[in-house]
């Protein structure tokens, strides 16, 4: 009798899972089975939260990671840890589906989520085009195509407008983008940051670095002698801080002309819709006279 | 000064000139002209200011730091091997480096207030951490004057893990998360923070270490023969051991504060040196210093050259060379176990 019960359980379990008909490929090429209703979703990285909200699906988000701080709508949502992943907290939120970042989340987490019946869709954003593509993809998946399309076009228009403003500038300053002041982490080849600098009317000097996040040497920076140094140093950054770590840089063009600027890191390090604002911010310091504001 | 000392010093000088002169950004003759300009106190043509900074403010302090750190690790390795009468001892393996790292990261990440000055507090914190680690290892390994090598190595591994976990805990619970990436690079052992000012404390403590060990050269020779016969030779064995432990912590602490935990230099170097100097400390110590200095200089050159324009922590390079060497020694070193 007990065995029959068990068998029945397994069979009913199977029929329950066969209700999921739709499958879709995510950005990592994984096949994801979609639940019939997707009403309660969670992002597993801050950039994904921003993409979900941009695609018009913000009202379906029922929790965010402890690192999240944008958009303001998330302030009242419950938080969970994503590094390491707090599976229990997410299961307790009774979610239909989770959305992960290829850059941040470990694909193995998806197996654990699968075991508790939560499909995970991975989003990869490596270029500015990926941002609007991901917004449209998420909108299609979550039934908010129209809102997603509207937001994506708005972002694309904004970038196109910026490209027009910087297209005919006679001077393209050499730009160094740094992630922090002490150890010289930068963006290497294949990063979206070079495209942002390009659109802002500059030329990124780390675009040919062979690794994704190289640690530059002081002498590389000295010999490249950038015209402008920008970084995700925070808005309270002052040039003297950079010079205290790298005293030999006092003769760099960027330092002599005081073209060293710190920005809020979220507009550069978080591959989401706010990169567009980041590109405008960059243009504002590279070509203040040509800019009329976004 | 015998023949090999002169030869090694010449090799060290050539290595420094080489290390300072090669690199993608400044050509070899240009770098030499910068060195010449400073060597003759600014006489002659003034070099290009950017080349001057790269060679004189970045590459030369870095090369000198490599010499000081490598030399310091070399002599401390030699002293530790005499202390435990076993060729497998080294500050990294016995947990001193990890202890120093834990102490230094406490300060680096803002958990300890600067005591006298920022430049001095970090080496002191590292010294205290290193001393704690070696005292634990040593007291676990020794009983009634006998030191078990197996227990020493195991205790070293255990304490190194403990201190590593402590350092990770401190790092991850830091109030200043932006420093995390920097700490990671430093934890792996890197000379990239070298400046003229950063050379002062390592230079002072390594000099103290070298002079003190040279003064102790004769008692150290005696200790190689075993505690009892050293006693009968009139060596105050226990005092010498205590001095060695403090010296090892002092030198390792100041080195770790400047460059993170660079492993295996102290293991490889005294071995290589013994093969041509014999076992007397008057010869081993100076030779270990020079050979360690040259070794780390070349390891750092490799770390700089592997990724053009970017860099790797030199600790990776020394571990790549040192671990196979350690395993071979472990395989050969049958006596004293079990």
């Amino acid at each position: 009798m007990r065995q029959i019960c068990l068998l029945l359980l397994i069979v009913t379990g199977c029929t329950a899972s066969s209700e999921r008909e739709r499958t879709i490929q995510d950005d990592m090429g994984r096949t994801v089975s979609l639940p019939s209703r997707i009403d309660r979703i969670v992002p597993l990285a801050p950039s994904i939260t921003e993409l979900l909200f941009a695609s018009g699906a913000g009202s379906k988000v029922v929790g965010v990671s402890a690192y999240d701080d944008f958009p303001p709508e998330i302030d009242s949502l419950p938080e969970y840890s994503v590094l390491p992943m707090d599976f229990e907290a997410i299961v307790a939120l009774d979610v239909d589906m989770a959305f992960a970042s290829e850059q941040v989340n470990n694909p193995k987490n998806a197996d654990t989520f699968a075991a508790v019946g939560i499909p995970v869709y991975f989003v990869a954003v490596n270029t500015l085009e990926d941002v609007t593509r991901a917004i449209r993809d998420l909108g299609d998946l979550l039934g908010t195509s129209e809102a997603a399309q509207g937001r994506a076009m708005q972002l694309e228009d904004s970038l196109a407008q910026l490209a027009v403003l910087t297209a005919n500038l006679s001077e393209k300053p050499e730009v160094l983008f740094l992630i922090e002041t002490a150890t010289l982490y930068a963006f290497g080849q294949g990063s979206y940051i070079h495209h942002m600098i390009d659109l802002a009317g500059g030329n990124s000097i780390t675009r040919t670095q062979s690794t994704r996040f190289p640690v530059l040497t002081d002498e590389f920076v000295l010999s490249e002698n950038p015209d402008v140094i920008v970084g995700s140093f925070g808005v309270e950054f002052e040039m003297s801080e950079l010079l205290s770590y790298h005293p030999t840089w006092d003769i760099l063009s960027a330092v002599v002309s005081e073209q060293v600027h710190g920005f809020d890191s979220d507009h550069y390090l978080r591959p989401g819709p706010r990169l567009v604002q980041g590109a405008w911010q960059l243009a504002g310091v590279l070509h203040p006279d040509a800019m009329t504001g976004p | 000064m015998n023949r090999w000392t002169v030869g090694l010093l010449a090799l060290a000088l050539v290595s420094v000139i080489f290390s300072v002169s090669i690199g993608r950004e400044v050509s070899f003759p240009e770098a030499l002209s910068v060195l010449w300009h400073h060597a003759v106190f600014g006489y002659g043509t003034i070099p290009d200011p950017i080349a001057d900074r790269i060679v004189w403010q970045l590459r030369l302090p870095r090369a000198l730091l490599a010499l000081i750190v490598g030399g310091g690790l070399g002599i401390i390795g030699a002293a530790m091997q005499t202390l435990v009468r076993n060729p497998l001892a080294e500050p990294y393996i016995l947990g001193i480096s990890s202890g120093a790292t834990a102490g230094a990261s406490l300060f680096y990440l803002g958990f300890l207030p600067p005591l006298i000055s920022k430049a001095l507090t970090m080496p002191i914190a590292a010294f205290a951490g290193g001393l704690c680690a070696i005292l634990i290892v040593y007291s676990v390994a020794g009983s009634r004057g006998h030191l078990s090598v197996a227990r020493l190595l195991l205790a070293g591994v255990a304490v190194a893990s403990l201190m590593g976990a402590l350092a990770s805990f401190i790092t991850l619970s830091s109030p200043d998360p932006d420093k995390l990436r920097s700490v990671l690079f430093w934890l792996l052992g890197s000379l990239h923070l070298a400046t003229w000012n950063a050379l002062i404390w390592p230079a002072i403590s390594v000099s103290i270490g070298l002079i003190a060990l040279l003064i102790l050269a004769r008692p150290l020779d005696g200790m190689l023969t075993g505690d009892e016969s050293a006693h009968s030779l009139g060596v105050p064995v226990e005092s010498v051991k205590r001095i060695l432990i403090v010296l090892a912590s002092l030198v390792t602490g100041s080195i770790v504060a400047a460059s993170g935990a660079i492993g295996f230099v102290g293991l490889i170097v005294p071995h290589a040196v013994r093969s041509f100097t014999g076992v007397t400390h008057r010869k081993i110590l100076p030779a270990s210093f020079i050979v360690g200095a040259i070794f780390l200089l070349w390891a750092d050159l490799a770390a700089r050259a592997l990724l053009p324009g970017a860099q790797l922590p030199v600790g990776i390079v020394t571990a790549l060379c040192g671990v196979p060497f350690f395993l071979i020694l472990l395989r050969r070193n049958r006596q004293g176990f079990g």
Side-chain angles (χ1 to χ4, degrees), chain A:
Chain A
M1 189 60 203
R2 203 186 235 175
Q3 277 168 336
I4 296 171
C5 276
L6 254 174
L7 244 168
L8 264 173
L9 250 171
I10 292 167
V11 172
T12 48
C14 286
T15 47
S17 64
S18 70
E19 274 174 23
R20 293 179 192 154
E21 296 140 4
R22 284 202 298 159
T23 61
I24 193 171
Q25 283 234 320
D26 71 5
D27 290 354
M28 288 178 77
R30 299 163 61 254
T31 303
V32 184
S33 314
L34 300 180
S36 50
R37 292 170 59 86
I38 314 178
D39 292 331
R40 296 176 65 81
I41 59 174
V42 285
L44 303 180
S47 62
I48 305 299
T49 312
E50 297 196 21
L51 288 169
L52 286 172
F53 273 85
S55 68
S59 61
K60 298 185 177 196
V61 174
V62 295
V64 290
S65 85
Y67 298 111
D68 272 270
D69 54 11
F70 192 87
E73 288 95 309
I74 65 162
D75 287 351
S76 56
L77 294 176
E79 287 185 358
Y80 42 81
S81 161
V82 289
L83 285 177
M85 188 66 71
D86 186 349
F87 295 102
E88 292 184 19
I90 291 169
V91 171
L93 288 173
D94 187 25
V95 300
D96 302 318
M97 198 168 170
F99 292 83
S101 156
E102 178 248 356
Q103 280 97 340
V104 176
N105 302 110
N106 186 341
K108 281 188 180 147
N109 284 342
D111 300 340
T112 313
F113 278 118
V116 291
I118 300 174
V120 180
Y121 182 93
F122 274 85
V123 179
V125 174
N126 295 307
T127 64
L128 288 180
E129 289 81 12
D130 280 345
V131 174
T132 47
R133 181 194 51 74
I135 290 173
R136 288 195 177 92
D137 285 353
L138 291 172
D140 291 346
L141 202 160
L142 296 164
T144 54
S145 305
E146 213 169 299
Q149 178 67 12
R151 183 75 179 120
M153 279 174 62
Q154 200 186 343
L155 292 172
E156 280 162 357
D157 286 348
S158 177
L159 287 176
Q161 203 187 333
L162 180 61
V164 169
L165 281 176
T166 56
N168 296 318
L169 292 168
S170 51
E171 275 177 61
K172 273 197 141 196
E174 299 284 305
V175 178
L176 170 64
F177 190 96
L178 291 172
I179 294 175
E180 64 165 277
T181 49
T183 301
L184 301 175
Y185 282 96
F187 286 95
Q189 66 179 8
S191 167
Y192 54 80
I193 205 86
H194 312 306
H195 190 185
M196 287 168 71
I197 291 171
D198 214 27
L199 284 172
N203 184 26
S204 171
I205 63 169
T206 58
R207 65 166 74 236
T208 55
Q209 287 287 321
S210 58
T211 50
R212 251 177 119 176
F213 297 101
V215 177
L216 305 176
T217 56
D218 280 40
E219 62 177 77
F220 170 81
V221 178
L222 271 170
S223 64
E224 293 287 324
N225 198 5
D227 303 310
V228 182
I229 298 175
V230 281
S232 45
F233 308 141
V235 285
E236 283 164 23
F237 165 80
E238 280 175 24
M239 194 165 80
S240 56
E241 185 190 331
L242 192 66
L243 285 175
S244 72
Y245 290 113
H246 310 283
T248 55
W249 289 6
D250 56 351
I251 53 163
L252 289 179
S253 305
V255 174
V256 171
S257 57
E258 299 198 6
Q259 287 297 310
V260 182
H261 308 277
F263 292 122
D264 171 28
S265 61
D266 294 347
H267 289 83
Y268 302 90
L269 305 188
R270 203 177 271 188
R274 285 196 288 166
L275 291 182
V276 175
Q277 265 169 279
W280 277 93
Q281 263 182 8
L282 277 176
V285 299
L286 297 185
H287 301 286
D289 303 333
M291 291 304 119
T292 48

Side-chain angles (χ1 to χ4, degrees), chain B residues 103-152:
Chain B
S105 37
L106 262 182
F107 171 72
Y108 192 82
L109 292 161
F111 288 96
L112 291 180
L115 289 175
I116 304 159
S117 75
K118 205 179 150 196
L120 194 57
T121 317
M122 193 143 140
I124 292 175
F127 165 64
L131 193 61
C132 277
I134 187 66
L135 286 177
I136 298 172
V137 171
Y138 203 77
S139 59
V140 168
S143 60
R144 295 199 201 102
H146 175 70
L147 203 62
S148 151
V149 174
R151 263 196 283 174
L152 189 76

Side-chain angles (χ1 to χ4, degrees), chain A residues 219 223, chain B residues 20-32 34 48 50-52 54-55 59:
Chain A
E219 62 177 77
S223 64
Chain B
V20 166
S21 318
I22 66 160
R24 202 174 59 121
E25 328 317 352
V26 181
S27 69
F28 191 78
E30 203 175 2
L32 287 184
V34 172
D48 171 53
I50 285 187
D52 184 60
I54 289 178
V55 173
R59 287 188 191 165

Side-chain angles (χ1 to χ4, degrees), chain B residues 26-227:
Chain B
V26 181
S27 69
F28 191 78
E30 203 175 2
L32 287 184
S33 83
V34 172
L35 282 184
W36 179 248
H37 174 79
H38 285 278
V40 297
F41 303 104
Y43 178 77
T45 51
I46 291 160
D48 171 53
I50 285 187
D52 184 60
R53 269 156 209 248
I54 289 178
V55 173
W56 193 256
Q57 307 276 5
L58 296 172
R59 287 188 191 165
L60 191 60
R62 185 169 177 149
L64 295 179
L65 185 63
L67 294 183
I68 294 169
V69 168
L73 291 171
I75 55 170
I76 293 306
M80 300 296 292
Q81 289 171 15
T82 302
L83 172 72
V84 305
R85 279 203 303 283
N86 190 284
L88 294 169
E90 194 242 2
Y92 195 75
I93 294 167
L94 294 186
I96 307 180
S97 302
S98 317
T101 305
S105 37
L106 262 182
F107 171 72
Y108 192 82
L109 292 161
F111 288 96
L112 291 180
L115 289 175
I116 304 159
S117 75
K118 205 179 150 196
L120 194 57
T121 317
M122 193 143 140
I124 292 175
F127 165 64
L131 193 61
C132 277
I134 187 66
L135 286 177
I136 298 172
V137 171
Y138 203 77
S139 59
V140 168
S143 60
R144 295 199 201 102
H146 175 70
L147 203 62
S148 151
V149 174
R151 263 196 283 174
L152 189 76
L153 292 179
L154 287 173
V157 171
V159 169
S161 301
L162 173 73
M163 292 296 179
L166 209 58
S168 303
F169 174 74
I170 296 163
T171 310
L172 290 173
S173 57
S174 159
D176 190 354
D178 289 339
K179 279 190 175 169
L180 277 182
R181 282 180 292 252
S182 295
V183 168
L184 256 178
F185 211 77
W186 169 76
L187 281 179
L188 289 167
S190 171
L191 300 165
H192 76 292
L193 294 174
T195 57
W196 285 106
N197 286 337
L199 292 177
I200 299 171
W201 291 112
I204 291 175
S205 76
V206 171
S207 308
I208 292 175
L210 181 62
I211 293 166
L213 288 175
L214 281 174
I215 293 171
L216 290 172
R218 283 185 72 98
L220 286 174
D221 287 341
M223 283 174 67
L224 278 179
T225 58
D227 286 359

